[in-house]
Amino acid sequence: MADNYLERRMEDLRSGKLRNESPSRPYTAPQKGYVRFPMPPRRVLVIGGCAEPYLSVVRIFLKSGCKVAVLDSDIATGERMAASEGIRFIAGDSISEANLKEAFQNSAAAWRDIDIIVTPQRSALHLADLWMDHKDRFPIPSDYGGRLIVISKEENTHTDFFPTGKHGITVNHISVTPKGSDEAVALLALFLSLPVSGCISGCYLVGPTH
């Protein structure tokens, strides 16, 4: 009897009778006054991610479903975050070119590529060069390109001179003010990483206070 039942169910499946038995998830449009933008999971490398404002950046990307790797010299905090929050932690100094290369290659080898890099100004140009070399050697098609986001207290880094345009990677600089909110800076970094923000590049933005 059981065999006949399974045979009938398989026949119904082949004929299409069971296609509507599993309810599909209904589409819910945004409420009036709200706009919804999707943030697909991305592969994110954050330099100095164990201290603010980069720590808030790490957590907002994790909350968005992204994979996050962190390079930082704070081994205790990094290993704790790796165990409790699931980041990929690479111990090293964010001003060391050797450590930056190790962090980039470690993440790219694990993920095949990197979609977003968030970094202080002092590391940005070297990371851009590493990224361009990787893109040239492994030209994986992507309709997203990439995002290089510089977060620092320094003045404008002239991001329009960074050699990233040919691979569709945007470059923007967020300046952190003394009264700036770490969470607001992280939200701004997330906004710049949205697929719909791909037209924004070469901008110098002052981190909001809330």
Side-chain angles (χ1 to χ4, degrees):
M1 182 175 178
D3 290 342
N4 291 337
Y5 171 77
L6 291 175
E7 289 176 3
R8 289 197 302 271
R9 299 292 284 181
M10 286 299 297
E11 184 59 35
D12 289 343
L13 182 62
R14 294 189 191 97
S15 65
K17 292 181 180 179
L18 298 183
R19 287 177 185 172
N20 297 324
E21 287 193 4
S22 299
S24 59
R25 185 176 178 181
Y27 170 75
T28 56
Q31 298 178 13
K32 290 184 178 179
Y34 291 86
V35 179
R36 180 184 300 161
F37 295 111
M39 178 59 185
R42 300 295 182 193
R43 300 159 292 187
V44 188
L45 173 61
V46 181
I47 307 302
C50 294
E52 296 291 4
Y54 308 95
L55 179 59
S56 291
V57 170
V58 168
R59 287 176 171 158
I60 203 164
F61 277 109
L62 285 173
K63 188 177 180 180
S64 300
C66 296
K67 298 177 181 178
V68 180
V70 169
L71 170 69
D72 201 284
S73 58
D74 187 344
I75 297 176
T77 301
E79 290 182 345
R80 185 169 61 250
M81 291 174 64
S84 63
E85 302 185 50
I87 67 166
R88 186 179 191 85
F89 177 66
I90 303 100
D93 193 329
S94 62
I95 63 174
S96 165
E97 291 191 359
N99 290 160
L100 289 168
K101 184 176 182 179
E102 179 188 359
F104 182 91
Q105 292 181 339
N106 181 301
S107 304
W111 299 334
R112 298 182 66 229
D113 201 354
I114 297 172
D115 300 307
I116 301 162
I117 296 179
V118 182
T119 177
Q121 176 182 347
R122 60 183 177 270
S123 309
L125 190 55
H126 185 62
L127 285 166
D129 289 338
L130 289 170
W131 207 357
M132 293 307 96
D133 181 64
H134 177 80
K135 290 284 191 183
D136 289 337
R137 292 171 57 203
F138 306 102
I140 302 171
S142 170
D143 57 1
Y144 178 73
R147 306 287 188 269
L148 179 60
I149 301 172
V150 181
I151 300 179
S152 67
K153 297 179 182 178
E154 289 83 359
E155 295 298 323
N156 195 338
T157 57
H158 300 292
T159 53
D160 51 318
F161 291 107
F162 279 52
T164 57
K166 66 177 180 178
H167 293 293
I169 297 175
T170 65
V171 187
N172 293 290
H173 179 203
I174 302 174
S175 177
V176 181
T177 61
K179 296 182 179 180
S181 160
D182 296 325
E183 183 181 3
V185 169
L187 284 168
L188 184 52
L190 182 66
F191 168 75
L192 291 170
S193 302
L194 293 172
V196 295
S197 300
C199 58
I200 303 173
S201 189
C203 289
Y204 175 69
L205 306 167
V206 178
T209 56
H210 55 75

